[in-house]
Amino acid sequence: MDSVKVKKLIPFLAAIMLVNVALPLGAAAESLDELKDKEAQAAQTGASLSEDINTALNDVNEKYAEIEKLKADISKAEETIKNSEAEIEVTEQSIARRKEVVGNRMKDVQLSGEQRTWQVLLDAESVSDFFNKAYAMTVLQNAEKEKIDRLSKDKEKLSDLQKTVKSKQEELQTNEAKLQDEASAMDEQVVTLKQQLSDNQAALQQIASQKQTEEKRITDEKKAAEERKQQEAAKEAQRKADIIASSSSSSSSSSSSETSNSSSSSSSSEEQPVVTPPSQPEEIPNTGGNTGNGGANGRVLYMQSTAYSWREAGSGFITATGIDLRSQSNVIAVDPSVIPLGSFVEVEGYGFAVAGDTGGAIKGNIIDVHFPTVDQCLTWGRRNNVKVTIQ
């Protein structure tokens, strides 16, 4: 009755375990999705910052190019000013000399010019010579006047040029200072953008680390859930095996009692012949008084035996009861209805082993012994009437 209750509770317990495993996994998956969204947003922000930095750097380079051009223009303006000042100085010296000459002539004209002029005209040899000398004197006077006017205009022109060049130089210097301020502001903007990009990259690294940790946690939880599932399956198999072993033990005890009574009654009339081991599995009761395993200790069976290895193609290394064949090799596959799972057995020609595995072809009077290599399996082959003692 108790075994029936346990069987009814098993599906309920399994459902509770699945719910407990599924809920954390769902929460972890949602958290991982959030991390992926954050990573995508951070990556998008980083791309936008990189684009802004490239734009700002291009603007800064253009400003610095304008500054360099202005510096070249200022240098030219300074050279022009320097040349203009030298030219003005030479012109002023020339004007000063010419003024002195013209001044002397004008004094001479004022003092004796009129008398000299009349004297020249009176000395004319003819009327034609008179007019020629008069015209020549007029031309000379006009030339002197023109020289004075040209010198004054040249001086004014040079003075205007000097003012223009200085004004241009001041304008260029003002523009240079303005551009320099703009370039400095852009430099600060680039530095700020680079810091933001660095912070964003650090955030990306942190998100990647968190995502890696979350993925590992999910993997570990899945692995733990799988291990719990295998352990529950092994426990369930063990429960079933114990139930079968208990039933078999009860049947075996009754059979032994009846056989003992039959033997006692027949021995009084005649002696029975000795029987050789049959081809079907035969149980030999233990007379040594060993107990345990539901009364199955000391049972002897004669069975067929094949061999298998976890190294064979398509084979796994975890048995039905959760044993790792890579570290524990002495395992046999049995039919749990014949030999309970978890039993400790001695196989003739093989040695001691644990009944820890099952197989689709292992039904009834057959066992499958495990070897660590395929060559050992081939050497064992298929054997009949192998003595199996359940310890």
Side-chain angles (χ1 to χ4, degrees):
M1 194 69 177
D2 292 338
S3 62
V4 174
K5 290 181 179 179
V6 170
K7 287 181 179 179
K8 289 182 178 180
L9 286 173
I10 288 173
F12 180 70
L13 294 173
I16 292 176
M17 288 183 63
L18 288 175
V19 170
N20 290 335
V21 171
L23 286 177
L25 289 178
E30 183 179 358
S31 177
L32 184 61
D33 290 339
E34 290 176 356
L35 287 173
K36 288 181 179 179
D37 291 339
K38 288 182 181 178
E39 185 179 36
Q41 292 175 1
Q44 185 177 1
T45 301
S48 178
L49 285 172
S50 297
E51 185 176 353
D52 291 342
I53 288 173
N54 290 334
T55 302
L57 287 175
N58 290 335
D59 292 341
V60 170
N61 290 335
E62 290 178 0
K63 289 294 179 183
Y64 278 120
E66 292 181 17
I67 290 172
E68 292 300 321
K69 184 176 181 300
L70 280 175
K71 286 182 179 180
D73 293 341
I74 291 172
S75 179
K76 290 181 181 179
E78 290 176 348
E79 185 68 22
T80 302
I81 289 173
K82 184 177 179 181
N83 294 334
S84 298
E85 289 177 347
E87 187 175 352
I88 287 172
E89 184 179 356
V90 172
T91 302
E92 286 179 346
Q93 292 176 357
S94 176
I95 288 173
R97 288 195 300 269
R98 290 180 182 180
K99 279 185 176 181
E100 184 178 359
V101 172
V102 171
N104 292 331
R105 288 181 181 177
M106 291 180 68
K107 288 179 181 180
D108 186 48
V109 168
Q110 289 177 354
L111 293 174
S112 59
E114 185 176 356
Q115 182 179 358
R116 186 182 298 172
T117 300
W118 286 108
Q119 185 64 39
V120 170
L121 293 175
L122 292 174
D123 290 340
E125 296 177 356
S126 61
V127 175
S128 175
D129 185 34
F130 176 83
F131 282 108
N132 288 334
K133 287 181 178 182
Y135 177 75
M137 291 179 68
T138 302
V139 169
L140 288 173
Q141 290 176 354
N142 291 334
E144 290 295 331
K145 183 179 179 182
E146 184 178 353
K147 286 179 181 181
I148 292 172
D149 293 339
R150 187 168 64 248
L151 287 173
S152 298
K153 290 180 180 180
D154 288 344
K155 185 175 180 180
E156 291 177 0
K157 182 179 179 181
L158 288 174
S159 178
D160 292 340
L161 177 61
Q162 186 179 22
K163 291 179 181 179
T164 301
V165 172
K166 285 185 177 180
S167 175
K168 182 66 175 178
Q169 184 185 26
E170 292 175 356
E171 180 183 356
L172 291 175
Q173 289 174 345
T174 301
N175 291 336
E176 181 189 10
K178 181 180 178 181
L179 289 176
Q180 191 70 45
D181 292 340
E182 292 177 359
S184 298
M186 288 182 177
D187 285 338
E188 293 178 359
Q189 181 183 3
V190 170
V191 171
T192 302
L193 289 172
K194 286 183 177 179
Q195 183 61 43
Q196 292 176 358
L197 182 61
S198 177
D199 294 342
N200 186 72
Q201 290 174 344
L204 269 175
Q205 291 178 354
Q206 184 177 4
I207 292 172
S209 177
Q210 292 176 350
K211 190 175 74 170
Q212 185 178 5
T213 302
E214 188 67 14
E215 289 174 346
K216 183 179 182 300
R217 187 179 70 81
I218 292 173
T219 301
D220 292 341
E221 287 187 355
K222 288 182 178 178
K223 184 178 178 181
E226 186 64 26
E227 289 177 354
R228 287 195 295 269
K229 184 178 178 182
Q230 291 178 355
Q231 290 174 359
E232 288 298 320
K235 288 180 181 179
E236 176 62 16
Q238 185 63 43
R239 289 192 197 99
K240 291 182 179 179
D242 291 341
I243 293 170
I244 294 170
S246 298
S247 300
S248 299
S249 176
S250 299
S251 299
S252 176
S253 297
S254 300
S255 177
S256 297
S257 244
E258 292 175 359
T259 303
S260 177
N261 293 332
S262 177
S263 296
S264 297
S265 61
S266 60
S267 62
S268 60
S269 59
E270 59 179 351
E271 186 178 351
Q272 296 296 326
V274 179
V275 180
T276 59
S279 60
Q280 295 299 321
E282 178 181 338
E283 297 184 4
I284 299 179
N286 178 23
T287 59
N290 291 333
T291 60
N293 221 359
N297 287 359
R299 284 199 300 147
V300 176
L301 303 174
Y302 289 88
M303 311 183 73
Q304 295 180 3
S305 176
T306 55
Y308 75 108
S309 175
W310 69 270
R311 294 183 183 276
E312 293 175 324
S315 297
F317 50 81
I318 302 298
T319 69
T321 60
I323 297 174
D324 191 339
L325 295 174
R326 297 174 298 179
S327 57
Q328 183 176 344
S329 178
N330 287 355
V331 175
I332 65 171
V334 299
D335 182 348
S337 65
V338 178
I339 299 177
L341 288 171
S343 299
F344 190 58
V345 300
E346 182 182 4
V347 181
E348 184 181 17
Y350 180 78
F352 292 97
V354 177
D357 205 356
T358 59
I362 309 303
K363 300 295 181 183
N365 181 34
I366 187 169
I367 61 172
D368 204 8
V369 297
H370 176 264
F371 287 102
T373 66
V374 178
D375 289 340
Q376 289 173 304
C377 295
L378 296 175
T379 302
W380 181 268
R382 187 181 188 91
R383 301 186 182 188
N384 294 319
N385 293 325
V386 176
K387 183 180 179 181
V388 181
T389 303
I390 303 175
Q391 300 296 315

